[in-house]
Amino acid sequence: MEVLYKSTRGNGETATASQAILQGLAADGGLYVPTAVPVLDVPVERLAEMHYREVAYEVMSRFFTDFTEEELKACIDRAYDAKFDTEEIAPVHEADGMYFLELFHGATIAFKDMALSILPHLMTTAARKNHENKEIVILTATSGDTGKAALAGFADVPGTKIVVFYPKDGVSPIQEKQMVTQKGANTHVVAIKGNFDDAQTGVKNIFNDPALADRFAKAGYRLSSANSINIGRLIPQVAYYVYGYAQLLKKGCLANEETLDVTVPTGNFGNILAAYYAKQMGVPIGRLICASNENKVLYDFFATGTYDRNREFILTSSPSMDILISSNLERLVYRIAGDSEEKNRELMRELSAGGTYTVTDEMREKLSDFYGGYATEEETARTIRNIYKKTGYVLDTHTAVAACVCQKYRDEKGNNTKNMVISTASPFKFTRSVMTAIDPIHEKLTDFEMIDELSRIAGVKVPQAIEEIRTAPVRHTTVAEAGRMAEAVEALLGM
């Protein structure tokens, strides 16, 4: 079955997978979605015996139908290799009655590695398939994790350059150090004066400016994105939900076809949307529990049917979720609108003009798969402390938000369905928040003293991603106003 892609704001025009990956954002400002979600016609007990690379192929080959088997397997083999510190790639750890799918064993110790390890290979393959001779310039906004993972993935990849924008005071010290020390002649990092939403809006504005696109084209550049607005980022994430379910079956934690709830710490909505696609492919996933921090715009959306970004932006200890404009939610809104580009365009115009929209009652009925919850800063810290004291297992702040919401959901619903919590980052990435939550006495330690103490109390070796930034020189110092991001890109490219 051939799967094509169309824009959530288009007029029915279709693109192949490679064209959609190369384009990133559709020309009309919409996001590419598959014309149909394919069924995963492989028995789950067979998937349970497969390596992660094999599961990834089974999933991605159903979506990326214009890639040959040889092309796709080559991309997968280059992505999921020794960059990961465990042969399992995404192991499952049981603690406190929950199953944590650990997605932080890649080069930058965050879940973004799961997709951004493969995106550069998908993109350069797509460029060859479509006879693209311009240099690809990746523009990416980050709330902390995407940036480093994208930089690491694209560093020194021939035919590409990458520019990452991050909010100057909106990421953790470790996240910032990881980005500003990034090596690679083709890598650029820009701190902006603003928050993540400002950075994300700025990137979208660059993509949506025809005159700017023309200037880049004349200079020999083609723009694309590594954010989860790119379908080449989103689809690889579907694979780890399939793999996680299959591994729980293999370990005897699930019976065949037993329903599994999934709890996902969510900011930009891409990670939980991948779980939604996995469920539509046929994986026996029950409720999709959307866990927010105090920037609870998604919680309010699921509770009321109204999306409203007109609120205070709160800086929290889980900065990768400090987001008020959840770009990937548009893909779900399009779906619950009956794949209506017209209805989706109407709602997105309302969001752009007034910062809010409300879905119809009929659309809300189609959200029954989802449950929204949130955790306060105090609850997040308490969850880290309690799970560590009970089990010795240390969560990062984002995973703690999810674990807290998972428990709230169970208590509220009286639900005993098994639950897989998506563990999106290593606690070493947010050491100060984690260590202070475990015991405030740690506050007086320096960042790297905390890292060593975390290693001691958790019995886990300090990841290489952290070791390598202890003494790494700062290589990127550019700072720009949020409204002048395009000028910053042109300057970095020497245009």
Side-chain angles (χ1 to χ4, degrees):
M1 167 183 156
E2 183 183 26
V3 175
L4 296 173
Y5 293 82
K6 56 184 178 179
S7 168
T8 53
R9 305 185 195 180
N11 292 302
E13 308 93 335
T14 59
T16 63
S18 63
Q19 289 167 342
I21 290 168
L22 203 52
Q23 184 75 14
L25 191 69
D28 51 38
L31 279 64
Y32 283 111
V33 290
T35 50
V37 175
V39 172
L40 185 59
D41 52 353
V42 182
V44 71
E45 54 268 33
R46 241 183 78 206
L47 293 167
E49 299 305 318
M50 294 182 183
H51 186 273
Y52 189 89
R53 287 185 288 271
E54 296 172 300
V55 173
Y57 175 76
E58 295 297 341
V59 172
M60 291 186 224
S61 63
R62 303 307 194 275
F63 282 98
F64 299 153
T65 54
D66 68 323
F67 284 73
T68 67
E69 179 178 351
E70 183 183 19
E71 287 170 336
L72 192 51
K73 284 186 173 177
C75 291
I76 289 169
D77 288 344
R78 288 189 207 118
Y80 305 111
D81 58 9
K83 292 190 293 293
F84 288 81
D85 65 16
T86 171
E87 178 63 21
E88 289 177 277
I89 306 297
V92 180
H93 183 96
E94 184 177 1
D96 201 32
M98 292 170 270
Y99 298 104
F100 292 90
L101 181 65
E102 295 183 345
L103 301 179
F104 53 76
H105 289 276
T108 75
I109 58 175
F111 84 103
K112 305 299 174 73
D113 289 323
M114 301 300 295
L116 284 166
S117 292
I118 192 169
L119 181 61
H121 305 296
L122 291 173
M123 195 167 282
T124 51
T125 302
R128 286 196 301 272
K129 292 176 75 67
N130 290 278
H131 311 292
E132 177 58 69
N133 55 14
K134 294 183 177 67
E135 191 163 29
I136 299 169
V137 178
I138 306 298
L139 300 184
T140 294
T142 185
S143 54
D145 287 338
T146 287
K148 173 59 181 178
L151 289 162
F154 280 92
D156 293 324
V157 171
T160 70
K161 293 185 187 295
I162 179 167
V163 184
V164 167
F165 295 94
Y166 75 95
K168 182 70 184 83
D169 299 313
V171 300
S172 79
I174 296 295
Q175 286 177 312
E176 183 171 44
K177 189 82 184 286
Q178 282 188 301
M179 286 188 282
V180 299
T181 58
Q182 175 65 47
K183 298 176 184 177
N186 65 335
T187 65
H188 304 280
V189 179
V190 181
I192 68 152
K193 298 174 183 177
N195 58 40
F196 170 74
D197 290 332
D198 297 322
Q200 183 167 250
T201 298
V203 167
K204 284 186 175 180
N205 288 343
I206 293 172
F207 281 121
N208 291 330
D209 186 334
L212 197 55
D214 188 55
R215 283 211 301 278
F216 279 110
K218 286 177 178 173
Y221 297 118
R222 173 174 185 151
L223 301 182
S224 193
S225 175
N227 281 98
S228 53
I229 56 175
N230 193 315
I231 200 71
R233 260 281 308 274
L234 182 61
I235 297 305
Q237 294 179 259
V238 178
Y240 53 69
Y241 288 98
V242 178
Y243 180 77
Y245 186 95
Q247 286 304 295
L248 288 174
L249 180 69
K250 182 179 182 178
K251 292 172 184 287
C253 303
L254 290 173
N256 197 11
E257 297 301 315
E258 183 178 355
T259 298
L260 177 71
D261 289 341
V262 173
T263 305
V264 189
T266 306
N268 217 5
F269 206 74
N271 202 358
I272 196 165
L273 185 70
Y276 178 70
Y277 280 2
K279 178 171 182 170
Q280 290 190 312
M281 289 189 86
V283 180
I285 292 172
R287 294 302 289 277
L288 300 160
I289 301 165
C290 179
S292 299
N293 63 19
E294 290 183 357
N295 291 291
K296 54 188 181 68
V297 64
L298 288 167
Y299 166 80
D300 290 338
F301 171 71
F302 287 116
T304 67
T306 295
Y307 190 93
D308 186 357
R309 63 177 172 83
N310 299 317
R311 62 184 70 204
E312 178 189 2
F313 185 94
I314 302 169
L315 293 174
T316 74
S317 60
S318 47
S320 298
M321 297 160 65
D322 290 347
I323 296 170
L324 296 182
I325 305 173
S326 301
S327 288
N328 273 288
L329 186 63
E330 180 174 342
R331 285 183 164 115
L332 179 64
V333 168
Y334 170 82
R335 187 72 186 224
I336 64 174
D339 293 357
S340 169
E341 293 95 339
E342 183 181 2
K343 181 61 178 176
N344 183 67
R345 281 196 300 268
E346 175 194 325
L347 294 174
M348 294 308 118
R349 279 196 297 267
E350 290 177 17
L351 181 65
S352 180
T356 182
Y357 63 80
T358 301
V359 299
T360 65
D361 289 342
E362 184 183 3
M363 291 169 71
R364 279 195 74 186
E365 288 174 7
K366 296 178 183 176
L367 293 174
S368 60
D369 284 338
F370 292 88
Y371 168 91
Y374 75 98
T376 65
E377 284 290 271
E378 183 181 344
E379 289 171 328
T380 301
R382 187 163 61 242
T383 300
I384 292 170
R385 182 169 56 254
N386 289 347
I387 289 182
Y388 170 69
K389 286 184 175 177
K390 280 198 275 184
T391 69
Y393 189 57
V394 182
L395 307 180
D396 92 289
T397 46
H398 304 73
T399 308
V401 167
C404 178
V405 170
C406 175
Q407 193 56 55
K408 284 184 176 182
Y409 170 74
R410 286 175 156 180
D411 292 344
E412 178 188 327
K413 302 293 185 184
N415 187 305
N416 293 317
T417 303
K418 289 166 186 170
N419 202 301
M420 185 168 70
V421 175
I422 305 307
S423 187
T424 53
S426 164
F428 286 95
K429 202 152 189 168
F430 304 94
T431 320
R432 184 159 294 276
S433 296
V434 169
M435 293 300 285
T436 303
I438 289 172
D439 192 334
I441 198 171
H442 294 126
E443 276 184 327
K444 55 190 169 188
L445 301 178
T446 67
D447 286 333
F448 282 103
E449 286 172 342
M450 282 190 176
I451 284 166
D452 292 331
E453 180 63 8
L454 172 57
S455 174
R456 186 188 71 78
I457 68 168
V460 177
K461 184 180 176 183
V462 177
Q464 181 59 31
I466 299 297
E467 289 291 1
E468 66 188 17
I469 64 171
R470 282 185 191 263
T471 56
V474 172
R475 307 169 68 93
H476 306 279
T477 58
T478 304
V479 180
E481 299 288 341
R484 307 190 71 171
M485 289 166 57
E487 293 171 44
V489 174
E490 291 182 288
L492 290 168
L493 296 179
M495 291 172 58

